[in-house]
Amino acid sequence: MSIHSEAELHRKYVAFAKLLNIYLNHFPKHEKYALSQRIRDTAYEVYDLITEAQKRYHKKTTLTNLDIRHQQLRMQLNLANELEYYQFKDGRRYPDNPAEVAAKRYLAISRHVDELGRMIGGWLQAEKAKQSTTS
């Protein structure tokens, strides 16, 4: 991954993290230290693995772990959607049309996660190609 691509990945992750933290702060009060915290921790682990992969000489294992952690994050966000946690604002169900609000929020966060996933997948494929040409 080039320095430009690494900077772009970092920029996109920061935008994702800002949006994610806003949404997590609106989750129901009983979820503040359960799924909400689990999602936040997984998101930070993704960021840690991005940083680690940028610094490692042999990246394949770290990138594989990053891909796995990213998928876990995607599934946790999906679970939050299925449990209807995106329908909340300040710990209470959104008063006007909560399903529409939830759909918009889930779509917005999913777009960010998908874009990060494409970048991670491309990085992993590039590393695999690089290793196959040097073998």
Side-chain angles (χ1 to χ4, degrees):
M1 181 173 260
S2 70
I3 291 174
H4 174 70
S5 298
E6 290 176 11
E8 184 68 11
L9 179 59
H10 173 77
R11 187 185 65 74
K12 290 190 184 290
Y13 180 86
V14 170
F16 159 75
K18 286 178 180 179
L19 184 63
L20 178 67
N21 278 307
I22 290 169
Y23 290 168
L24 293 179
N25 288 335
H26 289 293
F27 271 30
K29 292 184 189 313
H30 70 275
E31 278 298 332
K32 290 287 183 189
Y33 301 104
L35 183 58
S36 175
Q37 188 60 44
R38 180 75 182 231
I39 291 169
R40 188 174 277 117
D41 290 344
T42 304
Y44 293 153
E45 287 174 23
V46 166
Y47 190 67
D48 290 344
L49 287 166
I50 290 169
T51 304
E52 186 176 333
Q54 289 172 342
K55 293 297 182 181
R56 289 214 180 261
Y57 181 74
H58 296 288
K59 301 176 187 302
K60 186 177 175 189
T61 302
T62 305
L63 287 172
T64 301
N65 291 337
L66 172 58
D67 192 39
I68 291 167
R69 192 69 66 218
H70 174 265
Q71 184 61 26
Q72 289 171 337
L73 176 62
R74 181 189 309 272
M75 296 307 293
Q76 290 166 0
L77 292 168
N78 183 53
L79 177 60
N81 185 53
E82 293 294 324
L83 295 172
E84 299 179 346
Y85 292 161
Y86 296 109
Q87 293 186 8
F88 286 76
K89 179 179 181 182
D90 297 328
R92 295 190 182 101
R93 193 170 300 277
Y94 211 84
D96 300 325
N97 207 353
E100 185 179 320
V101 170
K104 287 180 181 179
R105 287 179 177 178
Y106 184 63
L107 181 63
I109 204 70
S110 292
R111 285 182 180 156
H112 281 278
V113 171
D114 290 346
E115 192 166 5
L116 289 171
R118 283 191 297 275
M119 293 179 86
I120 291 166
W123 193 5
L124 186 56
Q125 292 297 344
E127 283 300 316
K128 285 180 181 178
K130 190 188 309 181
Q131 283 186 346
S132 68
T133 60
T134 60
S135 299

